[in-house]
Amino acid sequence: MEGVPSWAPAVAFTLFPNAGSIWGSRMAKKATSTWYESLEKPSWHPPNWVFPPVWGALYSSMGYGSYLVWKELGGFNEKSMVPLGLYAGHLALNWSWTPVFFGNHKIGWGLVTLLLTAGAATATTTVWYHVNKTAAYLLYPYLAWLTFASVLNYRIWKDNQSKKHV
C-alpha cells in the first residue's frame, strides 16, 4: 500500500466498528428517553451512561484485533477470508441488535440477535486464536459483555412479557 502511512490501517480497522455503531447509538438514545425508560429492568441494570464508553472500548478493541489478524495474514486474501469473514458477519449481527431492540421494540428478537452475535463472536475468537493470540484475547472482554448483555436482555424480556414491548 504505497503512499499510505504505516499507522493508517491500524487506525482505520480500530475505528471501523465504532463508525458503524453511530447510526445505532442515535436510535438507542432516542428510544432510551421514551420507550426504554418505561420497561421494567432488574436492580443490577447498569446506569444508561455506562453503555456508550463500554461499547466504544469494546468496538475499538475488536477493531484493533481485526487489524492484527489482517496484518498477520497479509491483508485481504484467500487466507484471511474465513477469519475476517466471521468477524464481518458477527459485526453485522452486533450492529443489527440496536434496530431490532430499540428501533422495533422487539425485546425477544433482540435476545435472539444477541445470542447469534455471541455465537458468531465465539467462532471468530476461536479462529483468531489460531492466527494471532493477542487478537483473540482482545475479544475476551467483548465475549464477557455479550454474556452480560444477553442475561440482561433476557431478564428485560421476561419481566416485560405482559406489556406490548415484546
Side-chain angles (χ1 to χ4, degrees), residues 1-163:
M1 294 191 334
E2 288 183 40
V4 176
S6 60
W7 53 265
V11 171
F13 274 84
T14 301
L15 293 179
F16 177 70
N18 290 286
S21 70
I22 292 171
W23 175 66
S25 67
R26 289 183 182 152
M27 185 182 305
K29 186 175 182 179
K30 181 180 176 187
T32 298
S33 62
T34 56
W35 170 76
Y36 189 66
E37 285 303 315
S38 73
L39 298 176
E40 288 185 45
K41 294 177 276 307
S43 61
W44 46 268
H45 177 275
N48 292 339
W49 63 264
V50 167
F51 293 94
V54 167
W55 277 112
L58 294 173
Y59 279 138
S60 296
S61 180
M62 72 174 78
Y64 187 72
S66 70
Y67 163 73
L68 293 175
V69 169
W70 174 82
K71 185 178 176 186
E72 185 81 25
L73 295 176
F76 295 112
N77 56 49
E78 196 171 307
K79 290 189 301 186
S80 66
M81 187 178 293
V82 170
L84 295 178
L86 280 170
Y87 170 69
H90 116 270
L91 195 55
L93 282 166
N94 177 299
W95 289 339
S96 70
W97 180 83
T98 302
V100 170
F101 187 92
F102 283 109
N104 294 314
H105 305 169
K106 301 293 184 188
I107 302 169
W109 283 110
L111 178 58
V112 170
T113 305
L114 261 178
L115 294 174
L116 290 171
T117 302
T122 300
T124 301
T125 304
T126 302
V127 169
W128 282 13
Y129 186 83
H130 298 289
V131 175
N132 184 300
K133 288 179 178 45
T134 301
Y137 296 151
L138 287 169
L139 293 181
Y140 286 8
Y142 174 57
L143 293 174
W145 184 259
L146 285 175
T147 302
F148 171 76
S150 296
V151 172
L152 179 60
N153 193 148
Y154 170 77
R155 182 67 187 272
I156 292 171
W157 173 69
K158 184 176 179 283
D159 290 348
N160 290 278
Q161 285 187 348
S162 64
K163 298 180 180 181

